[in-house]
Amino acid sequence: MNAPAGPFPPGPHGLVPTFKLGMVQATALLLGGFLCGTALAYLLVEVTGGHMTAAELWSCLSAAVVASVVVPALPPHYRVELNDNCLVLRGGGRREIPWRDIIGLEIRKTVGIRTVFVQVSGGRWIPLRAPMSFLDRGFDNKAKVLTDWWGVRRGGPEDV
């Protein structure tokens, strides 16, 4: 779950760690989102005076379950890679944030799930989709590796 795809921790100029959500994490998050969305839709139908039959509710729940099984089986979309020059965010494109442009890292807790936020030199906070503490006992170790990489490399690649 939420395992790095490379050695942990890596040596300089070697393979770099890549953090991504594990299949169980992605499935649980997706299923929870679909179930909450279905419950909200059902509640809205009831509040507005409409009615959703048991068959319609079953259809919504079935779609949620099927999607929660199929979507995590697809190739991983979001991941975070650490390399000597920058933090690489992948998913819907590629974004590189040079270590020297990162002025802060913070672990924030939202709805009981801890995630890492990166503050860039413009003051903007960027949430990282991985690593996350949901169903991952190794989160603290992964967050420490990320923090250590930033601490060593924030002066620039010539300092490594």
Side-chain angles (χ1 to χ4, degrees):
M1 282 185 241
N2 203 1
F8 194 78
H13 306 293
L15 295 174
V16 297
T18 300
F19 301 109
K20 57 186 176 181
L21 295 181
M23 187 177 351
V24 173
Q25 287 177 306
T27 301
L29 290 171
L30 187 63
L31 181 59
F34 276 120
L35 290 177
C36 288
T38 301
L40 181 60
Y42 186 69
L43 179 66
L44 289 174
V45 167
E46 287 299 317
V47 168
T48 59
H51 289 76
M52 184 181 283
T53 65
E56 292 170 330
L57 180 59
W58 178 252
S59 179
C60 287
L61 290 174
S62 298
V65 170
V66 168
S68 68
V69 171
V70 171
V71 172
L74 298 173
H77 296 285
Y78 298 100
R79 62 183 185 265
V80 175
E81 299 172 1
L82 311 179
N83 68 40
D84 287 334
N85 302 319
C86 59
L87 177 71
V88 180
L89 309 177
R90 293 184 174 240
R94 176 186 169 103
R95 179 175 182 182
E96 294 183 358
I97 305 172
W99 292 112
R100 67 182 174 277
D101 291 347
I102 297 174
I103 60 174
L105 291 176
E106 185 176 297
I107 296 174
R108 296 184 184 173
K109 191 174 191 178
T110 307
V111 193
I113 299 172
R114 293 178 296 144
T115 56
V116 178
F117 280 72
V118 174
Q119 185 179 23
V120 293
S121 56
R124 184 168 165 234
W125 286 94
I126 301 168
L128 303 182
R129 296 194 182 213
M132 87 165 47
S133 67
F134 181 68
L135 296 174
D136 183 14
R137 291 183 181 150
F139 171 78
D140 292 324
N141 193 22
K142 294 169 189 170
K144 182 175 177 359
V145 168
L146 180 60
T147 304
D148 290 348
W149 271 64
W150 171 62
V152 169
R153 291 163 176 80
R154 64 183 164 187
E158 63 278 353
D159 295 339
V160 178

